[in-house]
Amino acid sequence: MERTHNWTTEEWVKADQAHHLHPFTDFADHAVNGSRIITEANGVFLTDSDGNQILDGMAGLWCTNVGYSRQELADAAYKQMMQLPYYNTFFNTATMPSVELAGVLADLAPEGLNHVFYATSGSEANDTIVRMVRHYWNIKGKPGKKTFISREHAYHGTTMAAASLGGMSYMHNQADLPLPGFTHVVPPYWYVFGGDMSPEEFGLAAAKAVEDKILELGADNVAAFIGEPIQGAGAVLIPPATYWPEIQRICKKHDILLIADEVICGFGRTGHWFACDYYDIKPDLMPIAKGLTSGYIPLSAVLTTDDMKDTLGKGGEFQHGFTYSGHPVSCAVALANIDILQRENLVEQVRTDTGPYLGERLAELVDHPLVGEVRHLGLIAGIELVKDKATRTLFDSGLNVGPTCKNHCTANGLIMRATRDVMVMSPPLIITRDEIDMLIDRARKALDATAVDFGVI
Ligand SMILES: *Cc1c(COP(=O)(O)O)cnc(C)c1O
């Protein structure tokens, strides 16, 4: 039964290159440079096959909220696998964990979101939303309302519909996307698009871009607006305070459904259970994933309203679902994960202690010659590296300033991600003040080394 080879790092890398195609990876580069092999993890630290300890400033991919190696989550999975490892939720069937979790989620979610449809990934949750919304408007007798408005730099996943919702041009270019019926407007990214406006003025202008698009298409042709409360993969774009209230007013006025993608923001990332609580957003649909199980096992869901449920209920059987919708093992792990978040007061700890502390420590980096702006809320942050702070001028993207800084981070035992030239972080919610100090020390070392590389001192 023992299947794990006792290989050296070099042998692992070779075997990985031989047969494994990685997501969001340049295959030619991988054939030359290979992968880092992660072997285990504990708390906020990863260990690689050479025995290096690395502080995971990204919580995996923004997901391991309760940290690594939590026995309770393994126990919950084991127990459920022994009792009922699989059964589906199609055709009026349910399993106990899927029922229990739906109730827990409806209690935790922003007011009005009372119903839960399960899938396995954030992308599937967003595909589900496209199906639900189109069906909804057909049943409502408004079949013209089909177009989704999103933002540039949005990330909503990688399937054809989810990537169409997303605003990543490099993804669109490779697959002839977006599909018909998806359009994108300027994001609330003041640093780059704000020009001479104050952030507050620009928040209103970016919201007006949504209304202008609605008027251009005709409200009778627009189904929904989708936005991450804070755009994560787009480089932690934290909107000015004026943005979300105006977006809500506009959606209401034009009878357009509002989708708040909480796949990153949900489950405590911002110091609130959902960023909708912080921004007072009342969405019609809310996809969740990532922190729902802290990434221990795949699970996602779409939360929605009585109106959506009642309307779809008039359309006969909803012809949509996944083999693993409401998977009992995933739901059992999600319940145990939520239990940890509640029992250890992790959301409150982020809001009142570690989040503000990270903010204080990050503020010290603003004087660094490379740093144009630090954006931060709770335990999500972005550090904008720029050529000229006074004029908000970015580096030429061909210089790879962000990726260079990322490599310096890795060399200093820190995982931080580079999106363009923005260094982004999203550590596990269990991170302590001492570990935040370590994170900031390592980040500063990487910034200093990057400044030397590019002669910015
Ligand atoms: C990661 C992400 C998704 C997609 O989730 P997958 O599980 O990778 O399909 C969707 N929306 C947001 C905001 C995300 O960050």
Side-chain angles (χ1 to χ4, degrees):
M1 263 305 287
E2 187 61 53
R3 228 176 19 209
T4 300
H5 299 279
N6 193 14
W7 283 339
T8 63
T9 293
E10 202 179 309
E11 288 166 324
W12 278 110
V13 169
K14 256 208 171 99
D16 178 60
Q17 286 169 317
H19 301 295
H20 185 184
L21 300 181
H22 293 241
F24 288 99
T25 295
D26 175 336
F27 296 161
D29 173 77
H30 177 251
V32 176
N33 293 315
S35 299
R36 176 191 295 269
I37 311 290
I38 303 298
T39 52
E40 57 191 293
N42 206 319
V44 298
F45 293 98
L46 306 168
T47 306
D48 71 14
S49 55
D50 292 326
N52 295 308
Q53 293 268 324
I54 310 158
L55 174 54
D56 184 6
M58 280 304 298
L61 286 175
W62 331 76
C63 59
T64 52
N65 287 13
V66 299
Y68 294 95
S69 62
R70 305 293 301 238
Q71 175 85 36
E72 274 175 84
L73 300 193
D75 288 346
Y78 178 80
K79 203 168 147 233
Q80 185 58 42
M81 279 199 187
M82 294 305 284
Q83 186 178 333
L84 179 70
Y86 174 77
Y87 203 74
N88 66 77
T89 55
F90 284 25
F91 319 131
N92 301 46
T93 310
T95 58
M96 285 170 176
S98 60
V99 174
E100 257 189 80
L101 180 61
V104 168
L105 292 174
D107 281 347
L108 284 176
E111 203 190 317
L113 298 177
N114 293 327
H115 307 285
V116 179
F117 190 99
Y118 293 113
T120 316
S121 68
S123 302
E124 288 176 5
N126 280 320
D127 266 42
T128 297
I129 283 175
V130 172
R131 299 280 295 267
M132 280 183 165
V133 166
R134 291 198 164 161
H135 190 33
Y136 172 92
W137 287 119
N138 286 341
I139 295 169
K140 286 265 183 189
K142 295 185 178 174
K145 284 175 88 69
K146 287 289 153 65
T147 295
F148 289 78
I149 299 176
S150 176
R151 287 93 54 89
E152 287 147 25
H153 299 306
Y155 190 79
H156 298 296
T158 195
T159 58
M160 294 294 274
S164 295
L165 286 171
M168 301 300 193
S169 53
Y170 53 87
M171 292 174 73
H172 292 167
N173 291 343
Q174 291 183 352
D176 300 331
L177 297 174
L179 297 169
F182 297 87
T183 187
H184 305 83
V185 299
V186 68
Y189 186 6
W190 173 80
Y191 197 82
V192 165
F193 296 111
D196 293 336
M197 284 180 255
S198 70
E200 289 69 29
E201 287 165 346
F202 179 66
L204 295 176
K208 185 170 179 294
V210 175
E211 185 157 38
D212 289 347
K213 182 57 82 174
I214 293 169
L215 296 173
E216 176 197 322
L217 296 169
D220 287 347
N221 298 315
V222 179
F225 170 81
I226 184 167
E228 302 151 80
I230 292 171
Q231 286 174 249
V236 186
L237 309 183
I238 300 185
T242 47
Y243 184 74
W244 277 111
E246 186 63 3
I247 289 286
Q248 295 202 87
R249 187 190 67 75
I250 290 165
C251 287
K252 219 179 195 127
K253 178 174 166 201
H254 296 285
D255 195 19
I256 290 184
L257 294 171
L258 176 57
I259 307 158
D261 185 337
E262 290 264 9
V263 169
I264 285 177
C265 293
F267 298 92
R269 175 63 46 208
T270 66
H272 302 265
W273 276 93
F274 300 98
C276 284
D277 303 329
Y278 176 73
Y279 288 114
D280 196 22
I281 302 169
K282 297 194 171 58
D284 299 287
L285 296 131
M286 188 174 97
I288 55 174
K290 297 193 169 120
L292 169 59
T293 57
S294 287
Y296 277 58
I297 196 162
L299 182 67
S300 69
V302 174
L303 274 56
T304 192
T305 58
D306 293 346
D307 174 43
M308 178 61 64
K309 183 204 162 178
D310 294 345
T311 302
L312 297 191
K314 292 174 190 152
E317 183 178 318
F318 184 42
Q319 306 287 347
H320 175 76
F322 303 97
T323 302
Y324 303 125
S325 286
H327 195 290
V329 180
S330 301
C331 290
V333 172
L335 285 164
N337 178 60
I338 291 168
D339 209 47
I340 292 176
L341 288 168
Q342 287 176 324
R343 182 160 26 85
E344 298 184 0
N345 289 317
L346 288 173
V347 181
E348 192 186 330
Q349 179 177 306
V350 172
R351 184 170 64 249
T352 62
D353 185 43
T354 46
Y357 185 65
L358 177 66
E360 273 171 43
R361 296 299 326 266
L362 281 169
E364 297 167 18
L365 298 179
V366 176
D367 292 335
H368 194 279
L370 270 181
V371 175
E373 178 182 66
V374 173
R375 299 185 284 273
H376 155 261
L377 180 69
L379 288 181
I380 185 169
I383 305 169
E384 186 93 45
L385 307 186
V386 298
K387 186 169 157 192
D388 186 336
K389 294 159 76 117
T391 56
R392 302 196 335 241
T393 306
L394 306 184
F395 286 103
D396 176 356
S397 64
L399 290 174
N400 280 328
V401 175
T404 303
C405 185
K406 180 200 139 154
N407 290 339
H408 285 304
C409 286
T410 316
N412 281 296
L414 171 65
I415 303 266
M416 240 201 312
R417 182 160 149 187
T419 296
R420 304 182 300 277
D421 293 336
V422 183
M423 303 311 298
V424 302
M425 67 173 78
S426 149
L429 308 190
I430 55 158
I431 195 168
T432 63
R433 284 178 172 239
D434 285 349
E435 289 161 345
I436 289 172
D437 290 339
M438 186 186 282
L439 188 161
I440 295 290
D441 285 351
R442 292 180 182 185
R444 184 185 278 282
K445 282 200 185 104
L447 289 172
D448 289 345
T450 309
V452 170
D453 289 346
F454 292 95
V456 183
I457 320 176

